[in-house]
Amino acid sequence: MDFQAGILRDGNPMESLEKQLICPICLEMFSKPVVILPCQHNLCRKCANDVFQAANPYWQSRGSVISGGRFRCPSCRHEVLLDRHGVYGLQRNLLVENIIDIYKQECSSRPLKKGEHPMCKEHEDERINIYCVTCEVPTCSMCKVFGSHKDCEVAPLQTVFQGQKTELNNCISMLVAGNDRIQTIISQLEDSCRCTEENSEAAKQELCARFDALAALLEEKKSELLQRITREQGDKTGFVQGLICQYKEQLEKSSRLVETAIQAMEETGGAAFLMNAKQLIKTIVEASKGGRLEKIEHGYESMDAFSVSLDHLAEAVRALDFEPAEEDEEYFDGEEEEVEEDVAPEGTVMASQ
């Protein structure tokens, strides 16, 4: 605690010193023994114990086999870890205790000034020294005897003061304990948010890997089917090219026979014509009979046998969805639904040839 800096900031050193000696829990001057927390802040031992008990409701008294607990400093929210002795294991701040003793001695030696104690507004010379329970306001003895509170129920001011201070102290302890629980919930929610982001990233990577594998399988299947079409194309075009060569040879032979026959027709001598005509006619007849080559069937060039229907695969892809988690099965009210998926195996292509 920086007492000197606090005192220099205030014109009245004693008032400034008193502010430095106020407990943040009970808002009163520290009561002996003062305890010093690891964060260097001070609390009354009783106040520290109340905060500790509120934050650790199941902690037992001293001598218990249960290990220590924890609570947060009300000044800076620093988490304080205690051993099995609880608050009684904290270190006493003897310096602050000595300062409090000196301050009290100094205050007791000073004469009491008028105005240091609240005075009654109706009776200016009377100090407020009792509490009207009926009206719930502090007042003076003259108001009770002759004034507006003569028919009211009153109680000693100090008694009501201690009672309400204790009640306020309990409220503070409840708020501190509630703040600790809220901080715990916030930490849990932050952990949940971080885990959700990490799990989402892992799920995205796994999904991308599965789709990449499926795309690679489809590409492999496409290459295989393209190769089959290419082979069929080569077989058919090779066969047709062979027929074309055969027909060209036959056409060439036939053309030569035609030229020979035309030259024979130009012969005017009967004897010379007859010497070659019979054999030429026989050759032309045989060429006509044996010149029938193989032909291709109608629709031979069609490649319809290699058409592929991907409608069922497209439907299967559109129907892709995430599998429901096990806990989601409770929403089906115990009814088991059998779903038949008419989906081809992954990467399979149906081709009719």
Side-chain angles (χ1 to χ4, degrees):
M1 299 176 60
D2 192 358
F3 296 104
Q4 185 176 4
I7 293 173
L8 293 177
R9 284 194 298 267
D10 201 312
N12 191 329
M14 295 302 293
E15 292 182 2
S16 178
L17 179 61
E18 182 179 357
K19 292 179 182 179
Q20 299 293 328
L21 300 176
I22 296 298
C23 174
I25 297 297
C26 62
L27 303 180
E28 291 293 325
M29 191 171 296
F30 293 116
S31 61
K32 294 180 180 180
V34 174
V35 296
I36 183 168
L37 303 180
C39 57
Q40 303 302 314
H41 291 113
N42 295 276
L43 295 174
C44 299
R45 173 165 289 177
K46 179 181 181 302
C47 295
N49 190 59
D50 291 341
V51 175
F52 174 70
Q53 292 290 345
N56 302 270
Y58 299 106
W59 188 85
Q60 300 181 6
S61 60
R62 294 177 63 186
S64 171
V65 295
I66 296 180
S67 60
R70 64 183 64 191
F71 70 97
R72 294 187 181 274
C73 172
S75 297
C76 65
R77 305 301 299 160
H78 177 79
E79 188 175 56
V80 181
L81 301 178
L82 302 180
D83 57 16
R84 61 187 181 86
H85 299 290
V87 173
Y88 294 92
L90 292 173
Q91 180 182 359
R92 291 175 56 182
N93 195 331
L94 299 179
L95 174 61
V96 175
E97 291 185 30
N98 294 333
I99 293 175
I100 291 175
D101 291 339
I102 296 173
Y103 174 81
K104 289 182 177 179
Q105 291 177 6
E106 177 67 21
C107 289
S108 62
S109 62
R110 288 188 301 164
L112 184 64
K113 297 181 181 179
K114 184 177 180 181
E116 289 187 354
H117 190 92
M119 307 300 289
C120 180
K121 294 182 179 180
E122 296 184 5
H123 308 89
E124 296 181 356
D125 295 333
E126 293 293 329
R127 299 173 61 185
I128 294 178
N129 55 2
I130 60 176
Y131 186 82
C132 178
V133 179
T134 304
C135 300
E136 297 183 344
V137 293
T139 186
C140 70
S141 301
M142 295 297 293
C143 290
K144 170 58 181 173
V145 178
F146 304 107
S148 58
H149 299 285
K150 61 181 180 179
D151 297 328
C152 298
E153 180 183 356
V154 297
L157 186 66
Q158 191 66 20
T159 302
V160 179
F161 165 72
Q162 293 295 338
Q164 291 194 3
K165 179 169 287 189
T166 301
E167 183 179 356
L168 180 59
N169 184 41
N170 294 334
C171 292
I172 293 174
S173 300
M174 287 189 297
L175 284 176
V176 172
N179 290 342
D180 286 341
R181 288 191 292 270
I182 292 175
Q183 184 62 43
T184 301
I185 294 174
I186 291 175
S187 299
Q188 292 175 349
L189 292 175
E190 290 176 346
D191 292 341
S192 176
C193 185
R194 184 177 62 257
C195 290
T196 300
E197 293 176 352
E198 293 175 355
N199 294 338
S200 298
E201 189 63 28
K204 290 178 182 178
Q205 294 178 359
E206 181 181 0
L207 184 65
C208 291
R210 291 181 179 273
F211 270 83
D212 290 343
L214 180 60
L217 186 59
L218 288 174
E219 189 66 27
E220 179 182 353
K221 193 64 179 179
K222 183 181 73 172
S223 299
E224 177 188 342
L225 296 179
L226 287 175
Q227 291 176 3
R228 291 174 58 182
I229 295 176
T230 302
R231 287 196 299 269
E232 183 69 13
Q233 174 189 354
D235 293 341
K236 286 190 174 184
T237 55
F239 177 74
V240 172
Q241 290 292 343
L243 290 180
I244 292 174
C245 291
Q246 294 178 19
Y247 275 99
K248 285 183 176 181
E249 292 178 357
Q250 183 179 3
L251 178 61
E252 185 178 354
K253 291 178 180 180
S254 178
S255 298
R256 287 198 298 266
L257 285 176
V258 170
E259 292 178 358
T260 303
I262 291 174
Q263 291 177 0
M265 290 293 293
E266 293 177 353
E267 181 64 42
T268 57
F273 176 81
L274 292 175
M275 289 178 63
N276 298 319
K278 187 175 182 179
Q279 182 61 37
L280 181 59
I281 293 172
K282 182 179 179 182
T283 301
I284 293 174
V285 171
E286 290 179 356
S288 299
K289 293 180 179 180
R292 296 177 182 178
L293 300 177
E294 186 177 359
K295 297 180 182 180
I296 58 174
E297 299 178 354
H298 177 71
Y300 177 80
E301 65 281 1
S302 174
M303 300 295 285
D304 293 341
F306 292 93
S307 62
V308 176
S309 175
L310 298 179
D311 294 341
H312 61 291
L313 282 181
E315 292 295 332
V317 171
R318 280 191 287 268
L320 282 178
D321 201 350
F322 298 105
E323 298 180 357
E326 294 181 357
E327 56 268 17
D328 295 340
E329 295 179 358
E330 299 177 359
Y331 295 100
F332 292 101
D333 297 331
E335 297 181 3
E336 296 182 355
E337 299 182 2
E338 297 181 0
V339 180
E340 297 182 356
E341 297 183 356
D342 186 13
V343 180
E346 183 178 352
T348 302
V349 178
M350 302 298 294
S352 59
Q353 299 185 8

